[in-house]
Every structure is written in C-alpha cells, then in structure tokens.
Amino acid sequence: MIYLEDFAPGQKYVSGTLPVDAAAIKAFAAQFDPQPFHLDEDAARGSFFAGLAASGWHTAALTMRLLVGSGFRPAGGIIGSRAEELKWPRPVRPGDELHVETEVLEARTSSSRPGQGFVKCRTTTLNKNTEPVQVLIMNLLVQARS
Amino acid sequence: MIYLEDFAPGQKYVSGTLPVDAAAIKAFAAQFDPQPFHLDEDAARGSFFAGLAASGWHTAALTMRLLVGSGFRPAGGIIGSRAEELKWPRPVRPGDELHVETEVLEARTSSSRPGQGFVKCRTTTLNKNTEPVQVLIMNLLVQARS
C-alpha cells in the first residue's frame, strides 16, 4: 500500500504482460463497440485501420487489468478521478502482447478532502515492439497516511 | 452517415438506454478491474465508494455501446483519436439505467490528412436520475465528403 505522502514525481512502475488475440478483440467489440473494424477481418481490411484492431476502450480496460496486477498499489485502491489525456497512437492488433509503464508526475493534498489527495500519473501501454498503443494521463484519488 | 462537412457546433444526439446490474458490474471487474469495491458488496461497503460501484472503464465501455447504437454516425465510424477529458463525477450503481447525450463542440479539417478531419464532442453519460456519471471530451477522426 502506497500512501499519498510516499508518492513523488519520477517514480516508475512496470507491469507484467497480457496477450491479445482476435477472439478477445471480437468478444469485447461485440459487447461494447460493435463496429465492423473491431468485429471482422474482411470488413476491417477496407477501413481506416486496414485490418482488425481492438477497440480503444478494450485497450483501456486491458491497461487497467495490467495496472491492478502490478506493484502500483495506492492506498484506498486505484481510483481514477479525472483523465487529462487519453490517446491511442496506434491500433492494438491480434497477436500483440501489452504491458504498462506508469510514471508519477505529481502528488498533492486535497484542499477539500482531508486525509486524501491526488496523484497524477502517465500510464503508457506498449506493444511487444515497445511502441505506445495508449497514453493516459490520470489524476488518482489516494489516501494519506495521516 | 454524417460527413465532416455536415458536423457543426451545437448539434446534439441522444442515445437509447442500457440497464446495469450487479452481475454485469462484477463480470466486467473480474476481467478488467478486479478491485474489491467493484467485485463484492461487503468489501465495497467500507471503501471510498461505500457500496458496489462499476469500474469507470466499464462505464466508458457502456458509453461506447450506447453511442454506437445511437443516431450519431460519423463517416468512417466512431474513431477516437484523443480525449481531452474523461471524468466520473459519481459512481454507477447496480440498478442504474444509463443513456448518453453527445454535443458537437467543434469540427475542423486536418492539415496533415487530406479528406479527413476532427470532430470534437462532449459525450455525457447520465443515470436514471439524469445525473452525470461520466463526461468525455473526445476528438474523433471523421471522413470528409470531398
């Protein structure tokens, strides 16, 4: 458990890896983002993505899964308050293997919430060629020790 | 199909509704965000959320599902490029029913991508009391007619 007081800019956390296959891409899309380029190889070929690609929200969900399983354990849980940026520089493809690198950018106490504060992090999701597939800058709500 | 040229600030789109129950909250969490307050009523009671709450990424995924099923149909698909803001003002609870309201904030051609441009939208996800549970400001990549 890492309390607010123990976070400092520059700290880094690296997750394990998670594979992504076509079945998982299609299953997520069928439930949450049923657009042709996330569901079907043939339809995806003629789309912007030029091939089957994971929904950005699937990448975001997998990022959270990797983060929860990593050594990044803020006191009170990983509770997102407000993201300032969320972008997908390149698509996640079948056969990709993802991992997540998180860097602390800022830690500050809350003026309105005694005993709590905010930790701003950049969480970058990378594929097996260590190319970024998602960049998320999130303010997390974190418990203070005192 | 709505082309880039047909988008203008102030246009609004309202989706249908989608119910959220405890089983769906726990199933999403088990797969993508396995933290106690998303998985178990008893553990959630003593947490920041003071009761079972959906993962914010679950809310985001349901928002996409509602958006894809609505009349909001940009040419080329709903392709998020970069979100400028994503926040969850209050948790989604078992028994909630969600819908989504999207407002076009800006439409502009791309200087680097001929025939394409960006549409900036605010997509607000509301519960059955029409209280916002998520606010997303997203830049979408949209095809131009010409």
Side-chain angles (χ1 to χ4, degrees):
Chain A
M1 286 264 263
I2 313 171
Y3 289 92
L4 181 65
E5 294 87 339
D6 302 322
F7 280 104
Q11 290 169 341
K12 288 183 186 173
Y13 301 85
V14 179
S15 76
T17 62
L18 212 53
V20 184
D21 62 19
I25 288 174
K26 294 177 189 179
F28 186 95
Q31 205 177 350
F32 296 117
D33 191 351
Q35 300 192 86
F37 37 70
H38 300 320
L39 286 168
D40 180 84
E41 281 86 353
D42 288 337
R45 215 163 285 135
S47 76
F48 169 77
F49 294 105
L52 193 72
S55 168
W57 301 109
H58 190 191
T59 305
L62 291 168
T63 296
M64 190 65 191
R65 184 70 184 83
L66 284 163
L67 202 56
V68 169
S70 75
F72 182 74
R73 296 187 177 277
I78 304 178
I79 300 176
S81 164
R82 189 175 64 86
E84 296 178 22
E85 183 167 26
L86 173 60
K87 63 182 179 183
W88 297 287
R90 56 180 59 70
V92 171
R93 303 290 189 181
D96 269 345
E97 189 172 78
L98 304 182
H99 77 278
V100 157
E101 298 182 6
T102 296
E103 179 173 355
V104 175
L105 302 178
E106 192 186 321
R108 61 187 195 281
T109 55
S110 167
S111 48
S112 61
R113 298 172 173 273
Q116 298 180 343
F118 296 97
V119 174
K120 187 196 288 195
C121 295
R122 185 196 302 108
T123 296
T124 307
T125 312
L126 302 127
N127 64 21
K128 58 187 169 184
N129 302 320
T130 53
E131 298 163 324
V133 294
Q134 180 182 288
V135 180
L136 168 67
I137 297 180
M138 177 65 86
N139 293 278
L140 299 166
L141 188 72
V142 179
Q143 303 294 320
R145 184 180 286 110
S146 51
Chain B
M1 285 264 264
I2 313 171
Y3 288 92
L4 181 65
E5 293 88 338
D6 302 323
F7 280 104
Q11 290 169 342
K12 287 183 187 175
Y13 301 84
V14 179
S15 77
T17 62
L18 212 53
V20 185
D21 62 18
I25 288 173
K26 293 176 190 179
F28 186 97
Q31 206 177 350
F32 297 116
D33 190 352
Q35 300 192 84
F37 36 72
H38 300 318
L39 286 168
D40 180 85
E41 282 85 351
D42 287 338
R45 214 163 285 136
S47 77
F48 169 77
F49 294 104
L52 193 71
S55 168
W57 301 108
H58 190 191
T59 305
L62 292 169
T63 295
M64 190 65 192
R65 184 69 184 81
L66 284 164
L67 202 57
V68 170
S70 75
F72 183 74
R73 296 187 178 277
I78 304 177
I79 300 176
S81 163
R82 189 175 64 87
E84 296 179 21
E85 183 166 29
L86 173 58
K87 63 182 179 183
W88 299 285
R90 55 180 61 68
V92 170
R93 302 291 190 179
D96 269 345
E97 190 172 75
L98 304 183
H99 77 279
V100 158
E101 298 181 7
T102 296
E103 180 173 355
V104 175
L105 302 178
E106 191 185 323
R108 62 186 194 282
T109 54
S110 167
S111 48
S112 61
R113 296 173 175 271
Q116 298 181 344
F118 296 97
V119 174
K120 188 196 285 195
C121 295
R122 185 195 303 109
T123 295
T124 308
T125 312
L126 301 127
N127 64 20
K128 59 187 169 185
N129 302 319
T130 52
E131 298 163 325
V133 296
Q134 181 182 287
V135 179
L136 168 66
I137 297 180
M138 178 64 86
N139 293 277
L140 299 167
L141 187 72
V142 179
Q143 302 294 321
R145 184 180 287 108
S146 51

